Amino acid sequence: MGTPDELRGLLPQLKLDELLEELQARLDAARSTRDRVQSLLEAVLAVGRELDLEQALRSIVEAAATLVDAKYAALGVIGSDGMSLSAFHTVGVSEQQISDIGSLPEGCGILGELIRHPEPLRLEKLSQHSASYGFPAGHPPMNSFLGVPIRARDEVFGNLYLTEKRGGAPFDEEDESLLSTLAVAAGVAIDNARLYEDSRLRERWLKANAEISHSLMSGSGRAEALNLIAEHARDISCSALAAVAMPVEGGRSLSVEIAVGLDAGAHRGLVLPLKETLVGLAFSTAVPVSSDDVTQDERISPEPPRFQGLGPAVGVPIGTGAGDVRGVVLLARETGRPVFSGTETAMLQGFAVQAAIAMELAERRLDAERIAVLQDRDRIARDLHDLAIQRLFATGMTLQSAGRFITHPEASERVLRAVDDLDETIKIIRSAIFGLRARENDATGSGLRAKVAKAAGEARQGLGFAPGVRMEGLLDTDVPREIADHVVAVLIEALANIARHAHAGRADVVLTTDGREVRLKVSDDGVGIPADGRRSGLRNMAERAEQLGGRLEVAASGTGGALVDWQVPLPVK
């Protein structure tokens, strides 16, 4: 050992070494803090650059994992119910591991703890928390945990979950502070991405409305406009199916006139009642009606089966409000896709309102054109009556008077024949005038579709249930009134026979035309037609078909009852 003097000389040197070591440690800590702050700033900038929402979420998860040096990171998006996760974005977990784990987390256990209590949560060991109940098979082991909520405009959008800090150390307060700061920036980035997404979506809806308005105002038919509405609505809303139902004359049911997308053929021509159906409720209440799963919804009739593979759906009225609903557009997404959010439904409703306004304007323009045609017809009729007929009548009177002074028999006969021809011409012109004035007034306010729907509705009381009705083709325009009357009579007779004799629990009516023939098929699941039963009703149907050059076929239906198939050719145009 050294002398006391030597020891006293070493003390200042030892204190200086300690001070230098402490200073170096603080410099290292400051440098580390500087580096982490720099990393935070870079993460904030990286997150803020993204405008696509899905890409922004991916950037947030990656930045969070890098910032706190975590092996695994995830971002859970809270669903519309506020109690579960609707999406889950991960970093560090391989595709094979995800496949082994199975279904994505729904928001239980520790994940649900942050949903129920949106405050930062830091754990040295996940298994020590009371809400933890283990991992599913195939899940990688995880111990240390750090979770923070992400808020966008005072709304908890989701949560960041970080596990397994590299090196085996637990997450510390600085990690929590950095991640909380990143979560604030992430909330701003998510809000910006959602606003950008909404603005782009609105722009697409506006372009769709402009195309529909242009189509209608340029003279396109209603069917083409409805098809545009269905196509645009399906495309922009990312739906698998879009259908447009319009009211049948009389307003007691809706007919699906347009359907595009998955299994569209099963929807076209269906006649749906206003009560107790999703589409009917949207029409009668004039507000959107949604369903989380159409395959399990009691407001969707099970027959015919037409929603296989579909889940979330929404029916949006086409109109500007109660009392002015023109129809309903039904949209359905595939099973597993997200339900229609309030924002999406609001945009759909705005699109439907604009489409209804465009249809209204087009109808007003068409009405103005019809009025102009009627006024022109009236002018022609007036001119024919006041000018042509009067001149012909005066000419006839003159010839008749001049005939008295003609002595040659043949010449006199020719003059009298000319007078008769003038009388006949006057009758023809008067008939044409009557036709001009009466043509527009001849239209009955009820077409074949409306009559068939009415007949089916009236048969409900006798049957004890509502028959299913499907109609396809240009029934109101291609089928002449004389044949349409026979169709309705045959339908009434067929449904009456089912009510009286079939003991059926179900009946289906299918009415179609391809422009060449009209075909009515009525089937049931009853007892069928007995061999010794009365056939006066069937004989009447057959006579009607033969009278029009058609035929009647009766066979067993696929459900065990009877099938009446009545076919009649249409006149060649």
Side-chain angles (χ1 to χ4, degrees):
M1 293 189 59
T3 64
D5 291 337
E6 289 175 340
L7 291 174
R8 281 195 297 270
L10 288 173
L11 285 176
Q13 181 65 36
L14 291 172
K15 289 182 178 179
L16 181 60
D17 289 343
E18 290 175 0
L19 288 173
L20 287 173
E21 289 177 3
E22 183 178 351
L23 178 60
Q24 184 63 44
R26 293 194 178 188
L27 286 173
D28 291 342
R31 188 178 296 110
S32 175
T33 301
R34 182 201 65 188
D35 292 342
R36 301 197 76 180
V37 169
Q38 181 67 28
S39 298
L40 174 62
L41 292 174
E42 290 174 356
V44 169
L45 289 174
V47 167
R49 278 195 296 265
E50 296 294 342
L51 286 176
D52 180 78
L53 182 57
E54 289 299 313
Q55 189 56 45
L57 298 178
R58 169 63 58 180
S59 297
I60 291 168
V61 180
E62 292 174 350
T66 302
L67 189 61
V68 298
D69 203 20
K71 186 176 180 181
Y72 304 110
L75 192 158
V77 180
I78 298 176
S80 57
D81 60 358
M83 298 300 295
S84 60
L85 298 176
S86 62
F88 203 70
H89 304 268
T90 62
V91 166
V93 183
S94 67
E95 293 294 331
Q96 183 60 47
Q97 287 175 317
I98 292 174
S99 177
D100 293 341
I101 294 170
S103 59
L104 293 175
E106 297 179 355
C108 303
I110 294 294
L111 304 187
E113 184 70 16
L114 259 78
I115 298 174
R116 294 185 292 273
H117 307 287
E119 298 293 338
L121 178 63
R122 184 158 42 93
L123 301 170
E124 289 190 21
K125 245 184 143 34
L126 275 166
S127 58
Q128 293 176 352
H129 196 279
S130 58
S132 176
Y133 57 79
F135 297 110
H139 199 287
M142 296 179 181
N143 292 296
S144 58
F145 174 84
L146 175 59
V148 296
I150 298 175
R151 288 182 170 84
R153 294 197 179 192
D154 298 327
E155 168 198 351
V156 179
F157 174 84
N159 296 304
L160 276 171
Y161 306 106
L162 288 302
T163 61
E164 289 299 285
K165 187 175 177 70
R166 297 184 189 277
F171 294 103
D172 55 25
E173 291 184 6
E174 188 176 349
D175 292 326
E176 181 180 323
S177 177
L178 288 170
L179 197 61
S180 297
T181 304
L182 178 64
V184 172
V188 175
I190 289 169
D191 193 40
N192 287 338
R194 288 198 298 189
L195 290 173
Y196 178 70
E197 192 175 79
D198 288 349
S199 66
R200 291 184 62 192
L201 202 56
R202 285 191 177 90
E203 183 181 357
R204 294 185 67 188
W205 285 121
L206 288 173
K207 285 183 178 179
N209 275 318
E211 185 177 344
I212 292 167
S213 299
H214 180 268
S215 174
L216 284 167
M217 299 309 290
S218 61
S220 298
R222 188 180 76 161
E224 185 176 342
L226 295 180
N227 193 71
L228 277 176
I229 290 173
E231 288 283 6
H232 283 303
R234 181 174 72 100
D235 179 46
I236 299 174
S237 66
C238 300
S239 299
L241 169 74
V244 179
M246 304 297 286
V248 177
E249 290 184 40
R252 287 177 291 186
S253 56
L254 298 169
S255 174
V256 180
E257 296 191 11
I258 301 292
V260 293
L262 184 64
D263 206 14
H267 295 264
R268 294 191 195 103
L270 282 179
V271 177
L272 305 171
L274 292 185
K275 296 181 179 179
E276 300 175 355
T277 64
L278 189 146
V279 172
L281 287 172
F283 182 85
S284 58
T285 60
V287 295
V289 179
S290 61
S291 172
D292 291 346
D293 186 356
V294 285
T295 61
Q296 303 296 326
D297 199 315
E298 295 181 352
R299 298 167 297 180
I300 301 294
S301 58
E303 297 293 339
R306 57 195 187 279
F307 285 105
Q308 290 88 343
L310 297 176
V314 62
V316 180
I318 302 174
T320 56
D324 187 35
V325 180
R326 295 174 169 272
V328 175
V329 56
L330 173 69
L331 297 169
R333 288 174 174 160
E334 294 174 336
T335 303
R337 294 293 309 281
V339 298
F340 290 86
S341 66
T343 301
E344 287 179 311
T345 303
M347 288 186 182
L348 276 167
Q349 195 168 11
F351 167 74
V353 167
Q354 293 299 319
I357 292 173
M359 294 171 69
E360 177 76 17
L361 291 174
E363 288 179 6
R364 291 288 178 265
R365 181 182 61 80
L366 188 59
D367 288 343
E369 291 176 356
R370 286 174 176 168
I371 290 172
V373 170
L374 290 174
Q375 289 175 339
D376 202 37
R377 285 179 177 175
D378 192 58
R379 178 188 61 77
I380 294 170
R382 187 171 60 250
D383 290 346
L384 285 173
H385 182 272
D386 294 345
L387 300 176
I389 288 181
Q390 298 303 327
R391 290 177 69 90
L392 289 172
F393 186 76
T395 301
M397 292 290 291
T398 301
L399 288 174
Q400 198 171 23
S401 298
R404 301 193 200 120
F405 302 103
I406 299 174
T407 57
H408 193 283
E410 188 175 343
S412 177
E413 182 182 350
R414 289 186 178 183
V415 169
L416 291 175
R417 194 159 57 243
V419 171
D420 291 340
D421 288 343
L422 287 174
D423 285 341
E424 190 64 29
T425 302
I426 290 171
K427 291 178 182 178
I428 292 172
I429 293 174
R430 280 177 172 163
S431 176
I433 291 170
F434 178 79
L436 285 171
R437 287 177 170 167
R439 189 174 300 168
E440 290 299 320
N441 297 326
D442 279 345
T444 65
S446 177
L448 178 55
R449 282 179 178 271
K451 290 178 179 178
V452 168
K454 180 181 179 182
E458 291 175 348
R460 179 173 186 169
Q461 184 174 359
L463 293 168
F465 55 87
V469 181
R470 181 194 294 275
M471 294 185 278
E472 294 184 26
L474 302 176
L475 295 167
D476 290 339
T477 56
D478 284 354
V479 182
R481 186 182 307 171
E482 297 78 10
I483 296 179
D485 291 341
H486 285 286
V487 170
V488 175
V490 170
L491 173 61
I492 293 173
E493 181 71 30
L495 292 176
N497 286 344
I498 294 173
R500 287 194 294 265
H501 310 298
H503 305 291
R506 173 185 165 189
D508 292 295
V509 177
V510 179
L511 178 63
T512 60
T513 181
D514 57 3
R516 296 186 296 273
E517 71 170 10
V518 61
R519 187 172 188 177
L520 174 66
K521 294 197 291 185
V522 183
S523 60
D524 64 79
D525 62 351
V527 298
I529 301 174
D532 57 348
R534 294 179 58 189
R535 295 178 177 266
S536 57
L538 293 175
R539 189 163 49 250
N540 290 337
M541 297 180 202
E543 289 175 357
R544 287 181 183 274
E546 291 169 2
Q547 180 184 341
L548 298 170
R551 65 184 186 278
L552 172 71
E553 296 178 359
V554 181
S557 69
T559 54
L563 169 64
V564 174
D565 190 351
W566 192 85
Q567 305 170 50
V568 168
L570 296 177
V572 178
K573 294 185 179 179

